[in-house]
Amino acid sequence: MDLAFIIIAVLTLASAVAAMSLRNLVHCALCMVMTFAGIALTFLQLNAEFVGLAQLLVYVGAVAILIVFAILLTRSEDAKKEVRFVSSSTVVGFGVVALVAVSLLAAIQHTQILPPQSVVAPHVSVKRIGEQLMTNYVLPLEVIGLLLTAAMIGAVVIAMREPDPADSVDVQQRNGSPLKLDPDSKKTAVVANE
Amino acid sequence: MLGTGLIKGMAQTAKNFVGSYQGPERLVTVQYPEERLAPKENARNFPFLVFDGDDAQKGLRCVACQICEKECPPKCIYINKSKDKKPDYIGKPQFYPATFDIDISVCMSCQICVEVCPFDAIKMDKVFELSTTDRFEALLLHKTELAKPNEYFQELHPTEAAEIDTRFAEEKLKAEAKAKADAEAKAKAAAIAAAPKPEPAPVDGSIPTPVAPKTI
Amino acid sequence: MTGQLDQLFVSLKQWLVSFLPQAAQPMAGILLSISAIIGAFATMFAITTIMERKILGRIQNRLGPNRVGPFGLLQPAADGIKMLTKEDIVPFAADKLVHFLAPVVLIIPVALALAMIPYGRNMTAVDLDAGILFFFAVGSATELSVFMAGWSSQNKYSLVGAMRAIAQMISYEMPLVLSTVSVLMMAGTLSLPLIVQAQSGYIYEILPRWNVFTPWGLAGFVLFMIAATAESNRAPFDLPEAESEIIAGYLTEYSGFKYALFFMAEYWGLFAVSGLAVTLFLGGWNAPFPFLQWVPSWAWFFAKLGTIIFGFIWVRGTLPRLRLDQLMNFAWKFLLPMSLINIVVTAMWHFSRVFQFVGAREMRWVLCALVLAIPYFFLGRALGEGRPAKRNYKFAE
Ligand code: SF4
Ligand code: SF4
């Protein structure tokens, strides 16, 4: 184990612990970003250039921003309420952790441990990865593509609002028709917004 | 079509960019410390004290009536009245300001002091390069710095100055004429007093003879 | 002689490194390249700020700064001294650590991105196989620092600015990346030096083989530049710093040196993205004509970079700021479809290579241009459609 790996590992773990234990949600999110970046660095250090950079692009660039947005848009003032150690979420959390750990351990158990002399991994170019994705792994790629498309359509459907009667009133007013406040249409507008 | 407006705008700014190197008349900015615009006559910012004649302190028109001090909204004028008097432009003995300070860091250039002064002693200046590195002492102007000759005022606001000057001249003439008349009247009275009394003093109840005014 | 001039910096670095012991040489080489890049771009930052002000002045029929030094050329020095000597104010309510880290987090990825760009023949500081991926990966980290700056200031303007910046950057990253895809498809590599190599050579021995001189390349270049303007928060996409609305956006609570760092990072980001545009579309360090090849390659690179930056300034001097809804509509309803269509057009271009009949070259050109122009026309019209009718101000006239 060399020094760089130890530094990266310690940083990653420390920021992961911080992400779990800090009180301020935004701090937690930032610490989690550091964890993501640490994992990306680990990949890069293992010469897995493409995976490391993709990790950086997707997790630091996109997922982190998503989390931050979620925190800011849903922030409630009761964030400071007391933390109970045994709650339903803790139980579920431990269950998930156990499941992941078991499957990971099983996977590790079934890998043939590489002999130490072949530590130097073959250099995999991006081109090779692309070719593999387009030939051997084209079915998983397509399935993932389909899944993501379905998710995107779902998101669009959720985000799409019913045409709102209040809008037409607004447009009329904006276009200079006499300003007339119709109490009934107002009321329906409020209901529609809710 | 999308983009035509953009291209039009870009062409316009490109024209400006190239044109500003071609025709210097496009550049309207006045390069201030080297070039200046001629000042406008009705520009005004801070008050100063007008004096007549050559001696700044003797010729000050201000009579230390302190009206301006009372009227100044931010109270940035400070006046000390003198103990003695000195003659003003028509020769009438008047008080004069022993101290007259204006704190131009406080002054808001409202010109109220000028409006209320009954003696046309304080007027608005148009100096503007007043920046200093000391924001306390250097911005508190004393009587010596405030006093500026009437010629300066004539240059600054010629119309107003001319009007005031003619009025002063008229007043002076009137005062001189009055002084002369008074002197004559006095001389006459003296002559009458010197002459033997033609009749006895009037009895009570009769109209008293007018007495010559005490002041000259 | 010309070859020597071309490789001037490369040989200089080798000569300097050769003084060191064998073991330290690679490390020293890297350090030397990094310091050269930082030095060069710090100078360029200074020059760009003054040139920007001068050019903007000329565009508005003014002279621009002309007081410090001859023709005002020492203005950046004066600004720098002022920035460094200013008090560093941290708001009382601010999250001190995050507030401090934000500019640092911003400048590191930007500097890393600068290291990827091939500045001349054999002049790439870090030659990664997945160079362009690295570029976008570190570029996406800048969003985070903007958020950190805006959130930690505990100021509503900062937060609004940060949210605007993030929304804008996410929206425009899509067309930015997609418009580069066509170049990657044609070059068949993610490595920036190889992309430059793919654009070397001349058609008929005279016309440059740059990507921008193809229909898909031109469209890609325009899309890329628009998205790059938005990514670097420059006018007309400067909503995150809109002075007239939200003071200075996420920069509101920054002063002194931290502000200067932000400012510099912004310009460095601009240089990086312009350098990427040069590399992807304008042939990198290749000379435009074969008879101009005696000019050193790095000079060509920086000349092209300067031209692009001039373009940025010109656009800034011309176009007014967009509204937020216009910004979003433009990204999602125009740039994104256009860049997707551009990928299809690139494929068409690639596969129509096989036709050899007379006039095939011209036909290919016309066909690809048409496939781009028609959606351009209709998407552009659709953009204008949602616009409210011309208002008549009943009481104002
Ligand atoms: S300046 Fe005018 S108002 Fe003020 S004290 Fe002198 S005479 Fe009076
Ligand atoms: S101009 Fe106004 S503020 Fe200034 S001294 Fe005169 S009265 Fe005071």
Side-chain angles (χ1 to χ4, degrees):
Chain A
M1 275 204 277
D2 59 339
L3 190 67
F5 174 73
I6 295 174
I7 294 175
I8 292 171
V10 167
L11 259 178
T12 311
L13 287 178
S15 51
V17 169
M20 287 185 293
S21 51
L22 286 179
R23 305 310 301 267
N24 191 325
L25 268 185
V26 174
H27 287 170
C28 297
L30 293 177
C31 286
M32 197 153 95
V33 173
M34 253 177 78
T35 318
F36 291 152
I39 293 170
L41 282 180
T42 320
F43 281 133
L44 286 181
Q45 216 224 345
L46 293 173
N47 270 339
E49 222 172 62
F50 184 81
V51 186
L53 293 179
Q55 162 92 14
L56 208 59
L57 185 64
V58 173
Y59 281 89
V60 178
V63 173
I65 297 296
L66 191 74
I67 292 174
V68 158
F69 254 93
I71 290 175
L72 283 188
L73 294 183
T74 61
R75 185 150 62 158
S76 54
E77 286 313 308
D78 56 0
K80 287 204 174 68
K81 77 169 180 226
E82 226 177 287
V83 184
R84 280 181 301 142
F85 274 98
V86 186
S87 67
S88 56
S89 60
T90 356
V91 175
V92 174
F94 272 114
V96 171
V97 167
L99 210 67
V100 171
V102 165
S103 50
L104 272 182
L105 279 177
I108 291 168
Q109 282 298 311
H110 283 92
T111 339
Q112 296 137 330
I113 293 167
L114 293 169
Q117 58 264 35
S118 69
V119 151
V120 181
H123 186 73
V124 185
S125 72
V126 181
K127 204 165 187 156
R128 281 272 319 270
I129 297 176
E131 274 160 7
Q132 286 293 314
L133 277 180
M134 277 306 177
T135 52
N136 279 357
Y137 298 98
V138 70
L139 189 66
L141 186 74
E142 294 294 321
V143 169
I144 292 173
L146 200 66
L147 182 73
L148 289 180
T149 314
M152 199 164 73
I153 292 172
V156 170
V157 168
I158 291 175
M160 219 158 44
R161 263 194 313 158
E162 304 270 302
D164 190 327
D167 280 352
S168 57
V169 173
D170 271 1
V171 171
Q172 259 181 20
Q173 285 174 2
R174 251 190 247 136
N175 288 347
S177 71
L179 202 89
K180 198 168 63 187
L181 280 183
D182 185 354
D184 283 331
S185 73
K186 262 267 179 189
K187 215 175 277 168
T188 51
V190 171
V191 170
N193 274 332
E194 280 165 4
Chain B
M1 203 170 79
L2 177 73
T4 42
L6 298 186
I7 291 171
K8 240 189 261 169
M10 299 291 280
Q12 184 59 44
T13 43
K15 221 189 284 169
N16 277 359
F17 179 72
V18 178
S20 69
Y21 286 101
Q22 301 296 321
E25 71 279 355
R26 270 173 175 269
L27 301 169
V28 290
T29 317
V30 176
Q31 294 297 304
Y32 157 62
E34 291 94 42
E35 302 168 29
R36 283 150 196 273
L37 293 172
K40 296 268 186 300
E41 189 186 333
N42 42 8
R44 47 201 70 200
N45 47 19
F46 291 117
F48 73 100
L49 296 174
V50 189
F51 70 83
D52 298 301
D54 301 323
D55 188 338
Q57 296 315 314
K58 263 193 202 128
L60 274 186
R61 290 180 185 172
C62 174
V63 298
C65 70
Q66 295 179 314
I67 296 175
C68 56
E69 186 182 24
K70 285 197 192 77
E71 293 289 338
C72 172
K75 296 273 171 277
C76 64
I77 305 181
Y78 176 72
I79 300 174
N80 256 345
K81 212 186 227 165
S82 62
K83 298 274 177 310
D84 54 335
K85 292 189 177 185
K86 62 173 188 168
D88 67 357
Y89 63 103
I90 46 174
K92 206 156 114 183
Q94 297 275 28
F95 290 110
Y96 60 92
T99 334
F100 196 114
D101 295 344
I102 296 181
D103 189 347
I104 58 165
S105 66
V106 177
C107 171
M108 60 183 194
S109 307
C110 64
Q111 210 187 336
I112 285 177
C113 50
V114 175
E115 305 291 342
V116 297
C117 178
F119 298 89
D120 287 308
I122 188 163
K123 290 292 170 195
M124 291 308 259
D125 203 344
K126 50 175 127 178
V127 287
F128 53 89
E129 287 157 321
L130 296 163
S131 50
T132 72
T133 48
D134 171 14
R135 64 198 161 107
F136 302 109
E137 283 308 311
L139 289 176
L140 182 66
L141 300 186
H142 301 295
K143 193 169 65 165
T144 40
E145 291 134 351
L146 286 170
K148 289 184 181 163
N150 192 21
E151 288 73 45
Y152 176 77
F153 178 51
Q154 282 163 347
E155 222 173 89
L156 229 50
H157 303 300
T159 334
E160 200 188 339
E163 186 195 311
I164 293 171
D165 283 348
T166 37
R167 200 172 71 229
F168 275 20
E170 270 167 22
E171 269 173 31
K172 203 168 176 182
L173 275 180
K174 237 191 254 164
E176 268 165 12
K178 198 170 167 212
K180 221 157 111 193
D182 282 349
E184 270 166 23
K186 223 186 216 163
K188 225 183 193 165
I192 290 170
K197 265 191 185 133
E199 54 195 69
V203 282
D204 284 0
S206 70
I207 305 148
T209 46
V211 197
K214 271 202 190 100
T215 50
I216 319 167
Chain C
M1 179 57 211
T2 53
Q4 274 168 14
L5 204 61
D6 192 30
Q7 296 300 305
L8 178 68
F9 297 110
V10 180
S11 16
L12 193 68
K13 177 180 148 191
Q14 273 164 4
W15 178 70
L16 281 175
V17 166
S18 65
F19 286 106
L20 291 168
Q22 198 70 42
Q25 277 188 8
M27 201 63 191
I30 291 171
L31 285 180
L32 213 59
S33 309
I34 291 172
S35 35
I37 287 174
I38 289 180
F41 279 99
T43 322
M44 200 155 151
F45 164 60
I47 297 171
T48 310
T49 51
I50 173 83
M51 285 327 285
E52 172 151 28
R53 291 170 66 183
K54 283 252 175 205
I55 293 170
L56 280 182
R58 288 292 174 165
I59 281 176
Q60 295 156 2
N61 284 332
R62 291 185 287 110
L63 279 171
N66 61 352
R67 289 287 139 186
V68 193
F71 301 108
L73 288 181
L74 294 181
Q75 186 70 40
D79 287 346
I81 293 169
K82 181 191 139 201
M83 286 286 189
L84 291 181
T85 50
K86 264 193 156 177
E87 186 187 351
D88 174 27
I89 300 164
V90 181
F92 178 71
D95 195 309
K96 307 272 180 321
L97 183 68
V98 182
H99 190 264
F100 170 78
L101 280 179
V104 184
V105 171
L106 182 59
I107 199 122
I108 289 172
V110 172
L112 283 176
L114 281 176
M116 302 304 306
I117 292 173
Y119 296 104
R121 201 170 280 126
N122 306 330
M123 279 170 69
T124 312
V126 184
D127 184 2
L128 277 187
D129 192 24
I132 193 155
L133 194 65
F134 181 84
F135 193 95
F136 289 126
V138 294
S140 62
T142 54
E143 285 156 28
L144 210 65
S145 87
V146 168
F147 167 75
M148 283 165 73
W151 178 79
S152 67
S153 297
Q154 296 288 359
N155 171 325
K156 57 187 166 195
Y157 297 113
S158 302
L159 195 58
V160 168
M163 296 306 265
R164 281 185 180 192
I166 294 172
Q168 173 178 329
M169 282 173 159
I170 290 179
S171 308
Y172 280 81
E173 200 162 298
M174 207 76 96
L176 189 77
V177 175
L178 285 180
S179 57
T180 60
V181 166
S182 41
V183 176
L184 306 182
M185 275 162 69
M186 292 307 279
T189 173
L190 288 180
S191 145
L192 292 173
L194 290 182
I195 290 174
V196 174
Q197 218 167 53
Q199 298 178 64
S200 61
Y202 300 91
I203 308 170
Y204 303 136
E205 300 294 308
I206 181 80
L207 293 174
R209 209 184 276 279
W210 300 354
N211 286 335
V212 73
F213 295 123
T214 56
W216 57 268
L218 184 63
F221 179 63
V222 173
L223 292 170
F224 184 89
M225 288 322 286
I226 294 173
T229 319
E231 280 288 300
S232 46
N233 294 339
R234 283 182 64 90
F237 301 105
D238 55 348
L239 282 98
E241 298 157 32
E243 318 68 12
S244 52
E245 302 158 23
I246 47 173
I247 308 179
Y250 55 91
L251 299 176
T252 305
E253 297 291 4
Y254 281 90
S255 58
F257 192 59
K258 284 190 212 152
Y259 181 80
L261 263 187
F262 261 115
F263 206 59
M264 188 161 82
E266 219 153 81
Y267 272 89
W268 280 15
L270 185 70
F271 299 150
V273 88
S274 311
L276 192 65
V278 169
T279 307
L280 292 178
F281 297 101
L282 299 185
W285 40 259
N286 284 311
F289 298 108
F291 54 84
L292 284 176
Q293 269 171 335
W294 54 270
V295 180
S297 54
W298 40 268
W300 279 120
F301 180 85
F302 281 100
K304 290 172 188 174
L305 190 64
T307 315
I308 287 198
I309 288 170
F310 178 79
F312 271 124
I313 298 171
W314 184 10
V315 166
R316 178 175 169 191
T318 308
L319 303 180
R321 185 180 303 134
L322 266 70
R323 225 171 40 218
L324 198 61
D325 60 327
Q326 294 170 333
L327 181 93
M328 288 297 158
N329 279 348
F330 189 59
W332 294 103
K333 294 188 185 165
F334 181 79
L335 288 184
L336 191 63
M338 277 312 283
S339 46
L340 288 174
I341 289 166
N342 197 29
I343 291 175
V344 176
V345 169
T346 316
M348 270 173 62
W349 182 265
H350 181 74
F351 289 120
S352 62
R353 217 170 24 177
V354 292
F355 299 128
Q356 289 299 335
F357 56 87
V358 184
R361 202 183 267 268
E362 287 73 18
M363 213 194 76
R364 183 184 177 205
W365 243 98
V366 172
L367 201 69
C368 288
L370 265 184
V371 175
L372 279 168
I374 294 170
Y376 172 82
F377 178 74
F378 283 106
L379 284 174
R381 226 175 46 176
L383 258 193
E385 244 159 33
R387 220 179 273 166
K390 194 171 185 305
R391 298 182 194 183
N392 65 63
Y393 294 94
K394 239 181 17 187
F395 302 107
E397 278 162 21

